[in-house]
Amino acid sequence: MSFLNGSSPRRHAAESDIEAGPSARRSADLDDGDFSDPFDIARTKNASIERLRRWRQAALVLNASRRFRYTLDLKKEEEKKQILRKIRAHAQAIRAAYLFKAAGGESRSEPIKPIPIPTGGEFPIGQEQLASISREHDTAALQQYGGVVGLSDLLKTNLEKGVHGDDADLLKRKNAFGSNNYPRKKGRGFLMFMWDACKDLTLVILMIAAAASLALGIKSEGIKEGWYDGGSIAFAVILVIVVTAISDYKQSLQFRDLNEEKRNIHLEVIRGGRRVEISIYDIVVGDVIPLNIGNQVPADGILITGHSLAIDESSMTGESKIVHKDSKDPFLMSGCKVADGSGIMLVTGVGINTEWGLLMASISEDTGEETPLQVRLNGVATFIGIVGLSVAVVVLIVLLARYFSGHTKNSDGSAQFTAGKTKVGDAIDGAIKIVTVAVTIVVVAVPEGLPLAVTLTLAYSMRKMMADKALVRRLSACETMGSATTICSDKTGTLTMNQMTVVEAYAGGMKIHPPHKLESYPLLRSLLIEGVAQNTNGSVYAPEDANDVKEVSGSPTEKAILHWGLKLGMDFTAARSESSIIHVFPFNSEKKRGGVALQTSDSDIHIHWKGAAEIVLACCTGYIDANDQLVEMDEKMTFFRKAIEDMAADSLRCVAIAYRSYEKEKVPTNEDLLAHWSLPEDDLILLAIVGLKVRMVTGDNVKTAKAIAVECGILGSYADATEPNIIEGKTFRGLSDAQRDEIADMISVMGRSSPNDKLLLVQSLRRKGHVVAVTGDGTNDAPALHEADIGLAMGIQGTEVAKESSDIIILDDNFSSVVKVVRWGRSVYANIQKFIQFQLTVNVAALVINVVAAVSSGDVPLNAVQLLWVNLIMDTLGALALATEPPTDHLMDRPPVGRREPLITNIMWRNLLIQAMYQVSVLLVLNFRGRSILGLSHDKNDHAIKVKNTLIFNAFVLCQIFNEFNARKPDEYNIFKGVTKNYLFMGIIGLTVVLQIVIVEFLGKFTSTVRLNWKQWLICVVIGIISWPLAVIGKLIPVPTTPIKNVFTKCGTSGSGRKEREESQ
């Protein structure tokens, strides 16, 4: 296993790393964040429901259905658990009934009567009979049909070659027994998203205000002129609702597609005598499916043959008990996992006719899952919302006080309200306009779209990552990957291509060249062919046309050895038929070897072992020499060990093949004893040691790991290849927790590591404050994948168990895809920060301008419709433009973002305050001195105010458009870099400019604006464009590295408190 660490300064400064928190409470605090802050959840991967409920209750929310859309629905989660409990109880009741029946059947052994087979239809057996056998685990009924052999005849299946597999045959089976699918709950339609957007409290108030304004306007001014005020607000609100709903609906479609991709498992079936890979949805009743460790049982079925097959049925029964399957209990349930061993099953039930299908159909597919960033953004949104709400209340009180006290003037200087003289309708209309402005300030100030911007950028990133061969299973992994400081990666198939060939072989006590030239060793060759053909999980399909290439399937190691066997002259089918398998010890990564016991045609017992060369060699006491004679190992042991070292130094994977004969009398005859028989692994006779060239850490020899690590650049040179930089798994395992924590940071390569070593290392690194990503493909990697902050499973070689424990599946098993995931992860974080900077600038500017103007003159330059348009630019369109920025190489030059680093960095504060102060000062000058500056002193008072306010509105919007460019690159001078490649950004900027021109020039009646001449347009553009050079000047101002929040915290902390904390550390 190799470890690719984040930037070195961070690695060596782990103790002071801000993301780790004080070391005394680090391990406890690691997963659950600081309990004093409900919005600080460092890791939602295994967060408690209570913890997730707390932050929801703490959030200030005006539209819960939109704000919490992609978070976990806690109520639904509870319902889901209840349904699971019911279905599991049902499965357990069936099992209890079956056991009771079986116990009763033992006491009176009646002869088995064959069940009458119904005639009619394509198949002599119907779906109901099959379902009752499978669901009720009815062994008696199975025997009455003639066991698995009888059942296969009824299903017209060959137990060795499977179904024919042609389209007509598959269609018949689908029509007779159904397809392996279940009815999905319909996704939410577009109208539901419209309804969700309408639930926003502020928009509801605005709609009521618009209706009241409409009624009063029509009453006082007539229908021709009176509908503009109310109608324009209503239209603006509807526009906000529609744009919001479209954006949300598109996101939901993306998630639906990704969910479908997650469910679409690919697996091998035997059809027409060959192994073919198909989608789980294409399985039909009658299919013959090989099962190996880590596979998911894809449908209900009956075991044909099995070797130490153990099934984890916890997903169905809720009990974490491993059930051993054999001829006494051959029933396999869909959705369960293969925990150990291997076997071949006959499919008897698919889709909705299985317990799993019923379970999946009754549970709605909920994509809800909050991410730490989403939770933190809810905290930011709550803080901004409280400020905005306070400002809106102040504005409302000031404006109402000024209005009813007669201080609010019309454009001609007369008071808008005079007690006793102003009509009630006019007074109400004036008050409604004031309320509308205050509510609109809340709309602009409460950023409901802020947490949704995370989902938007995650949905976009997930789609793009799919193209980069990474399937995201958990949303939060996408963003956590941006904080990853350490990646623990397997070598085979991740750092190296997963294709192997045998390039060296030692047999007969010497090196064989070429490696398959063994014609002159008949006994050795025949024993090797026997071992290669029988001791394998792979298979060889020989097409009927002798000229066609033989198809070899299995893991890369198995395929390489089978190809070597074919070159030795092996006829796979014939070799397997010459001996029968008595017992199998499946290969596992703990023992690093696998074995098989065979009975030959002469009734001799042969036990074959294959596995890690040095481990198998240690069990050998002899070898077969060049004369086909058995020779004691003695001094040759040194020769073989040297051969293994030489091959490992050349980056070859070394595999030893050995065998021994065994006394037939010692082989257990009882099936139960045989199932638990440990294959003898002493006194072995070495047949061959082969070196597999990996063309393509690790269970490999330390020397292989060292050679590949130097080649990859993980180790600088062979001089670095000393402990603790490079360590063996057993050495690491033998250390205490404290010692492991001490050296975890320094380890770069771990050789001969077991999955448990990987888990120990992940725990040590996380205790040290690292954000750890782990790659894995085997079933035994599942604990490490689960424990890590981000688990990355391999898509090609990964087992279903590994994939289920992972957060991201690397579809092409390539490390470059892992690097792309890191880029996208950092991009998610960077894009959210860009959006926050942009949004806060608009918030601060809009709030300050309206508050100052309202308090000083009783009039606000930005009215309700204009603010709603600004909100649309800022919230939905701004999120779309900035949240979909593709990642750049610049992101990879930065250190990883700490888990607890503030969302709003000092650089962002500097940028947004400079821009907001500039906008506020320019626009307030225009508000109070605009008439004289713009030369409008001689115009009519009413027209001059309208021109001034229109110019303020136009300049404000153009400032946001120009500032959107600044937000793209918060810490770079060249803000235009790569802008033309981001078509969505350019499109949104273009659309905003066009709509702004239309609003100002043609929709004056609705937005209370007037047309501007070219000089005034030029002034607006100049005001906006100044933000570009201003941003460059701003970036020259240095900022402190300590976050502002920490500065305030330090100021507020007394010296004694600080001392106490240091002592506790």
Side-chain angles (χ1 to χ4, degrees):
M1 189 189 296
S2 57
F3 310 101
L4 309 178
N5 288 273
S7 62
S8 50
R10 187 170 280 276
R11 183 177 164 192
H12 297 302
E15 280 308 309
S16 59
D17 189 346
I18 57 165
E19 75 178 31
S23 59
R25 51 163 243 261
R26 218 172 260 169
S27 56
D29 192 37
L30 210 53
D31 290 343
D32 233 10
D34 179 5
F35 252 79
S36 62
D37 181 0
F39 297 109
D40 182 17
I41 299 182
R43 190 172 185 237
T44 59
K45 196 166 176 177
N46 301 309
S48 65
I49 295 288
E50 189 49 45
R51 191 83 180 86
L52 299 179
R53 192 174 276 121
R54 278 187 72 219
W55 78 258
R56 285 169 175 72
Q57 289 165 348
L60 170 78
V61 179
L62 298 172
N63 182 1
S65 60
R66 184 161 189 255
R67 176 76 80 88
F68 299 138
R69 166 138 331 120
Y70 293 107
T71 58
L72 191 68
D73 189 325
L74 300 181
K75 195 175 168 189
K76 266 192 190 169
E77 193 64 12
E78 191 47 52
E79 284 171 14
K80 193 170 166 181
K81 281 179 182 166
Q82 282 177 351
I83 292 169
L84 267 169
R85 280 197 287 270
K86 278 181 197 167
I87 290 182
R88 282 171 176 169
H90 179 221
Q92 283 168 327
I94 287 170
R95 172 158 298 178
Y98 150 69
L99 290 169
F100 182 73
K101 201 169 166 186
E106 278 171 18
S107 58
R108 48 173 212 284
S109 51
E110 293 174 6
I112 295 170
K113 297 173 190 165
I115 289 182
I117 307 293
T119 52
E122 288 288 344
F123 297 91
I125 188 166
Q127 178 54 56
E128 292 73 26
Q129 290 99 318
L130 282 174
S132 70
I133 294 171
S134 295
R135 278 196 205 159
E136 293 170 28
H137 290 204
D138 196 340
T139 324
L142 178 62
Q143 292 307 319
Q144 287 170 329
Y145 280 114
V148 72
V149 177
L151 212 52
S152 70
D153 292 340
L154 297 174
L155 292 172
K156 300 179 183 175
T157 299
N158 182 314
L159 289 180
E160 286 180 8
K161 296 187 175 180
V163 299
H164 294 303
D166 56 71
D167 291 345
D169 179 41
L170 297 178
L171 188 61
K172 275 184 207 165
R173 290 173 186 279
K174 281 183 182 172
N175 291 337
F177 305 108
S179 61
N180 199 27
N181 220 322
Y182 52 87
R184 307 272 192 277
K185 295 223 170 173
K186 270 189 82 177
R188 291 152 61 91
F190 177 66
L191 291 175
M192 284 300 291
F193 285 96
M194 288 274 286
W195 175 240
D196 274 356
C198 292
K199 288 180 189 170
D200 195 322
L201 183 63
T202 48
L203 295 182
V204 170
I205 294 169
L206 285 177
M207 284 302 261
I208 293 167
S213 179
L214 200 62
L216 288 165
I218 291 169
K219 190 183 173 191
S220 58
E221 295 175 46
I223 196 155
K224 208 168 187 183
E225 294 290 323
W227 70 276
Y228 284 121
D229 275 1
S232 55
I233 294 173
F235 177 74
V237 169
I238 290 165
L239 185 67
V240 168
I241 287 169
V242 170
V243 173
T244 302
I246 290 170
S247 167
D248 293 350
Y249 180 59
K250 282 195 75 177
Q251 274 182 61
S252 81
L253 290 180
Q254 283 181 8
F255 284 127
R256 210 180 298 172
D257 292 346
L258 283 160
N259 268 333
E260 204 53 52
E261 197 64 43
K262 276 192 277 189
R263 283 193 292 254
N264 189 8
I265 298 166
H266 281 79
L267 69 159
E268 277 190 342
V269 301
I270 299 169
R271 285 183 180 171
R274 66 199 289 189
R275 291 194 182 200
V276 288
E277 190 175 278
I278 62 166
S279 161
I280 193 167
Y281 299 134
D282 296 332
I283 289 173
V284 292
V285 168
D287 260 328
V288 173
I289 301 177
L291 297 173
N292 290 307
I293 295 180
N295 288 163
Q296 178 175 315
V297 179
D300 279 4
I302 290 167
L303 185 65
I304 300 169
T305 59
H307 303 293
S308 313
L309 185 65
I311 303 287
D312 177 3
E313 294 186 346
S314 57
S315 59
M316 285 307 299
T317 61
E319 297 171 11
S320 54
K321 198 171 81 177
I322 303 297
V323 183
H324 290 273
K325 295 290 174 181
D326 50 33
S327 56
K328 289 179 183 169
D329 180 12
F331 299 100
L332 298 164
M333 284 195 286
S334 175
C336 300
K337 304 287 185 301
V338 180
D340 199 5
S342 60
I344 296 174
M345 71 176 276
L346 173 70
V347 175
T348 57
V350 291
I352 202 73
N353 299 310
T354 68
E355 291 283 351
W356 182 253
L358 285 172
L359 178 67
M360 296 312 284
S362 58
I363 294 173
S364 61
E365 188 64 42
D366 189 18
T367 51
E369 176 237 333
E370 46 262 72
T371 76
L373 197 52
Q374 225 175 1
V375 177
R376 289 172 73 187
L377 278 173
N378 266 293
V380 173
T382 297
F383 172 72
I384 299 169
I386 289 167
V387 172
L389 210 54
S390 312
V391 168
V393 168
V394 169
V395 169
L396 182 67
I397 292 166
V398 170
L399 286 181
L400 286 174
R402 288 184 68 99
Y403 179 75
F404 286 113
S405 62
H407 286 82
T408 306
K409 309 285 183 191
N410 287 315
S411 50
D412 58 3
S414 61
Q416 282 187 7
F417 177 86
T418 310
K421 291 183 182 177
T422 306
K423 290 178 187 173
V424 175
D426 291 345
I428 292 171
D429 196 30
I432 284 173
K433 281 179 179 166
I434 290 167
V435 170
T436 306
V437 169
V439 171
T440 313
I441 288 174
V442 177
V443 174
V444 174
V446 180
E448 287 292 330
L450 200 52
L452 258 183
V454 182
T455 328
L456 182 73
T457 187
L458 286 173
Y460 169 77
S461 302
M462 283 164 77
R463 198 176 79 242
K464 291 290 187 184
M465 282 161 80
M466 194 71 192
D468 279 346
K469 304 291 181 199
L471 169 63
V472 179
R473 292 186 75 254
R474 291 182 75 252
L475 261 183
S476 56
C478 214
E479 92 193 17
T480 312
M481 203 64 194
S483 304
T485 52
T486 303
I487 299 171
C488 304
S489 170
D490 276 3
K491 173 192 69 68
T492 309
T494 310
L495 293 177
T496 53
M497 272 172 61
N498 217 345
Q499 295 164 2
M500 301 183 187
T501 47
V502 173
V503 292
E504 279 188 32
Y506 287 79
M510 65 183 84
K511 185 174 181 179
I512 306 295
H513 193 77
H516 54 268
K517 201 166 176 59
L518 286 171
E519 290 85 358
S520 50
Y521 314 102
L523 173 65
L524 182 59
R525 185 168 160 273
S526 68
L527 283 169
L528 274 170
I529 286 173
E530 182 180 88
V532 168
Q534 292 284 27
N535 190 13
T536 182
N537 257 341
S539 71
V540 178
Y541 171 71
E544 288 174 12
D545 187 343
N547 298 325
D548 283 358
V549 180
K550 291 178 177 172
E551 292 175 22
V552 179
S553 60
S555 71
T557 311
E558 296 280 14
K559 275 157 75 173
I561 291 171
L562 284 170
H563 273 297
W564 178 66
L566 290 172
K567 286 180 181 175
L568 291 176
M570 172 180 75
D571 180 331
F572 185 75
T573 313
R576 284 178 77 92
S577 62
E578 281 167 13
S579 55
S580 57
I581 295 175
I582 301 170
H583 185 59
V584 174
F585 176 83
F587 179 89
N588 75 44
S589 45
E590 289 291 332
K591 288 207 161 190
K592 299 204 177 292
R593 59 187 180 274
V596 63
L598 311 171
Q599 183 166 350
T600 66
S601 50
D602 303 333
S603 294
D604 293 333
I605 304 295
H606 286 177
I607 291 165
H608 286 269
W609 284 96
K610 177 179 72 183
E614 65 269 35
I615 293 174
V616 174
L617 180 64
C619 302
C620 292
T621 53
Y623 69 98
I624 293 177
D625 70 1
N627 303 317
D628 266 353
Q629 298 299 312
L630 177 58
V631 184
E632 289 291 314
M633 190 62 83
D634 298 336
E635 73 281 350
K636 268 289 182 183
M637 183 64 90
T638 317
F639 167 77
F640 287 123
R641 280 193 180 134
K642 177 79 169 60
I644 292 168
E645 282 181 19
D646 290 347
M647 287 195 278
D650 290 337
S651 304
L652 302 187
R653 171 172 275 196
C654 308
V655 174
I657 299 168
Y659 106 109
R660 63 164 291 173
S661 54
Y662 198 63
E663 298 82 5
K664 192 175 179 182
E665 301 74 47
K666 291 187 182 176
V667 178
T669 48
N670 178 309
E671 195 178 323
D672 288 339
L673 290 174
L674 189 63
H676 299 101
W677 180 38
S678 296
L679 288 184
E681 46 190 295
D682 52 343
D683 295 336
L684 300 186
I685 296 159
L686 184 70
L687 298 177
I689 296 173
V690 292
L692 283 72
K693 177 72 180 172
V694 186
R695 291 191 236 277
M696 335 196 219
V697 166
T698 168
D700 275 342
N701 185 303
V702 169
K703 291 207 169 183
T704 311
K706 188 192 293 185
I708 286 171
V710 172
E711 216 174 303
C712 292
I714 296 162
L715 293 173
S717 66
Y718 280 100
D720 295 339
T722 54
E723 277 197 22
N725 288 355
I726 182 164
I727 194 168
E728 269 214 339
K730 65 179 180 190
T731 313
F732 184 72
R733 205 179 311 149
L735 301 173
S736 66
D737 278 0
Q739 288 170 319
R740 280 199 288 266
D741 289 359
E742 206 174 299
I743 65 161
D745 264 350
M746 294 179 266
I747 296 170
S748 290
V749 176
M750 188 188 285
R752 277 279 173 255
S753 62
S754 70
N756 195 45
D757 300 333
K758 201 185 275 190
L759 177 62
L760 290 171
L761 184 81
V762 169
Q763 287 168 340
S764 289
L765 285 165
R766 290 195 69 236
R767 279 197 295 271
K768 294 282 279 187
H770 284 283
V771 179
V772 185
V774 167
T775 73
D777 51 14
T779 304
N780 292 352
D781 290 328
L785 290 169
H786 184 75
E787 175 70 20
D789 295 283
I790 313 104
L792 302 154
M794 297 299 117
I796 300 170
Q797 288 306 316
T799 63
E800 216 43 55
V801 171
K803 288 177 190 174
E804 289 233 338
S805 300
S806 72
D807 306 303
I808 297 174
I809 299 171
I810 305 298
L811 299 172
D812 60 354
D813 290 15
N814 194 334
F815 191 78
S816 65
S817 300
V818 177
V819 176
K820 285 174 188 167
V821 170
V822 176
R823 273 167 62 105
W824 278 110
R826 292 187 180 190
S827 164
V828 166
Y829 207 89
N831 287 350
I832 295 300
Q833 288 186 315
K834 291 170 191 176
F835 178 59
I836 292 173
Q837 180 182 309
F838 173 68
Q839 189 165 41
L840 286 184
T841 308
V842 187
N843 277 5
V844 171
L847 287 176
V848 173
I849 291 163
N850 269 7
V851 170
V852 173
V855 171
S856 56
S857 66
D859 186 28
V860 284
L862 300 171
N863 65 30
V865 178
Q866 291 167 358
L867 281 174
L868 282 171
W869 168 234
V870 168
N871 183 61
L872 199 61
I873 295 173
M874 175 185 80
D875 226 359
T876 312
L877 296 178
L880 266 173
L882 293 169
T884 55
E885 275 281 315
T888 59
D889 291 333
H890 174 67
L891 288 171
M892 297 303 280
D893 297 332
R894 299 181 190 169
V897 181
R899 247 194 297 223
R900 281 185 169 69
E901 276 179 27
L903 263 178
I904 307 171
T905 63
N906 290 358
I907 289 172
M908 289 165 66
W909 278 119
R910 176 195 66 196
N911 295 347
L912 78 87
L913 288 173
I914 287 171
Q915 293 295 335
M917 281 159 62
Y918 163 69
Q919 289 177 20
V920 166
S921 47
V922 169
L923 298 180
L924 283 178
V925 167
L926 281 174
N927 190 49
F928 296 114
R929 293 281 174 267
R931 287 181 67 178
S932 54
I933 293 169
L934 298 169
L936 300 171
S937 309
H938 307 298
D939 286 23
K940 280 185 187 172
N941 197 26
D942 190 29
H943 180 258
I945 289 171
K946 275 197 170 179
V947 170
K948 178 198 74 174
N949 283 353
T950 302
L951 195 122
I952 289 171
F953 165 59
N954 200 30
F956 183 65
V957 170
L958 290 180
C959 275
Q960 309 324 321
I961 291 170
F962 285 107
N963 192 37
E964 213 156 337
F965 284 89
N966 290 330
R968 284 185 71 244
K969 307 280 179 188
D971 55 350
E972 290 179 58
Y973 292 107
N974 183 3
I975 57 171
F976 304 108
K977 191 176 173 184
V979 73
T980 50
K981 289 177 187 169
N982 190 346
Y983 302 120
L984 189 61
F985 181 86
M986 296 304 288
I988 285 170
I989 293 288
L991 179 72
T992 312
V993 170
V994 169
L995 287 174
Q996 181 62 18
I997 294 168
V998 169
I999 285 167
V1000 171
E1001 294 297 308
F1002 305 106
L1003 300 177
K1005 283 266 190 188
F1006 292 100
T1007 53
S1008 309
T1009 55
V1010 291
R1011 290 187 173 188
L1012 300 177
N1013 59 37
W1014 69 270
K1015 285 178 185 171
Q1016 290 158 344
W1017 268 101
L1018 194 63
I1019 291 167
C1020 294
V1021 171
V1022 168
I1023 290 170
I1025 214 162
I1026 287 172
S1027 68
W1028 285 351
L1030 192 68
V1032 173
I1033 295 163
K1035 283 166 191 171
L1036 296 170
I1037 301 169
V1039 291
T1041 49
T1042 312
I1044 288 174
K1045 185 180 167 186
N1046 291 16
V1047 174
F1048 289 128
T1049 312
K1050 280 178 186 170
C1051 294
T1053 309
S1054 66
S1056 61
R1058 193 156 53 246
K1059 248 183 212 170
E1060 279 171 25
R1061 202 162 55 250
E1062 282 166 7
E1063 281 164 18
S1064 72
Q1065 280 184 357

